[in-house]
Amino acid sequence: MDLNFTPEELAFRAEIRQWVAENLPKDLSHKVLNSLRLSRDDMQRWAKILGSKGWLGYGWPKQFGGPGWTAIQKHLFEEECALAGAPRIVPFGPVMVAPVIMAFGTPEQHKRFLPGIASGEVWWSQGYSEPGSGSDLASLKTRAERQGDKYIVNGQKTWTTLGQFGEWIFCLVRTSTEGKPQTGISFLLIDMKSPGITVRPIITLDGEHEVNEVFFDNVEVPAENLIGEENKGWTYAKHLLAHERTNIADVNRAKRELERLKRIAKAEGVYDDPRFRDQIALLEVDVVALEMLVLRVLSAEKSGKQSLDIAGLLKIRGSEMQQRYTELMMLAAGPVTQLYAHEAMEAGWQGDFAGAAAVAPLAGTYFNMRKTTIYGGSNEVQRNIIAQTVLG
């Protein structure tokens, strides 16, 4: 295992860094670096900038219009974007459903769906979790009944992230009740403008409208929107979940937020406190360790060896780290963080606030990060899976 980058990889990093510096709008990086609220237009604007360069689908092979980068190049691209303060790519289209369409879709589905994802024009949502079917996803109940050349879908999805913006949603639906629960699930692509779909907001602890409930009431879906074979959706779902859980780890964002933590600690006068510095040091060691784990996987891919099946482990460590750096930011700023002003998450807000501007969004971020160890498969369940599949 060689964790040193080659001269060619370092040159690639420099190229990405220069391009991002020249093309990332300053107002977007300001919002990201200070945890201010990003609008749909903000996220879509960066997606379209990347799309025009052919880099929104940065993980795609050339045959599908991607740059065909190696695993190392993809990692370097993600890192440079994160450190520069670029908005995180909304993963549901380019990172999650696109690989499933590429691997299991028909040539007609490739032509129909991939261009809109690659350009950033079409916003996708994820329809997996249901009430009572989160980590135990195989117990889902949303039903799709085949009637001629269409499916009739009835049921409910929940925790649909940014579903209020969704134009299409990829859904796991039950098409059979025979055999094991996993064997009766199919993978459908559904137009969210279809009659019978209702999106209802869920307001989270930080006061944000980030997640939603989505209801399906006799929604007609053309059978041609089925990915792969009927009742084989669980196989496709596992393919997608590996991408989701690796994406959740987001070591590059952790590196950026670690530097933000240091800035806040210095501004609040606690950086020189030995006990607080110990906590920062412990976090930094864990961030470096997570990065080494990611690079270990990438090194295995680069050499053609079988990489470890550790998507769940990356998810566990990455999500716990996100909670820790938000906790330390709150501790650094002290009691003033309790004066949570929801409006202070807007760029340019000039209302009264007892602390520095950098402190205003801390409580909201802290509240929001309580979810990270639950979504994408709760960490308790991930530990069981790792014990069974990796440790034996």
Side-chain angles (χ1 to χ4, degrees), residues 82 88 250-258 322 325 369:
R88 192 165 180 238
D250 207 355
V251 65
N252 300 309
R253 179 167 61 168
K255 291 173 69 175
R256 184 189 71 212
E257 293 302 292
L258 177 64
Q322 290 168 30
Y325 64 64
M369 289 297 175

Side-chain angles (χ1 to χ4, degrees), residues 59-99:
W60 298 13
K62 288 184 177 180
Q63 70 183 95
F64 292 110
W69 289 340
T70 66
I72 298 293
Q73 288 174 319
K74 288 183 282 187
H75 173 76
L76 293 173
F77 171 78
E78 292 171 345
E79 181 174 68
E80 289 303 319
C81 287
L83 295 179
R88 192 165 180 238
I89 292 173
V90 178
F92 308 113
V95 179
M96 294 168 67
V97 74

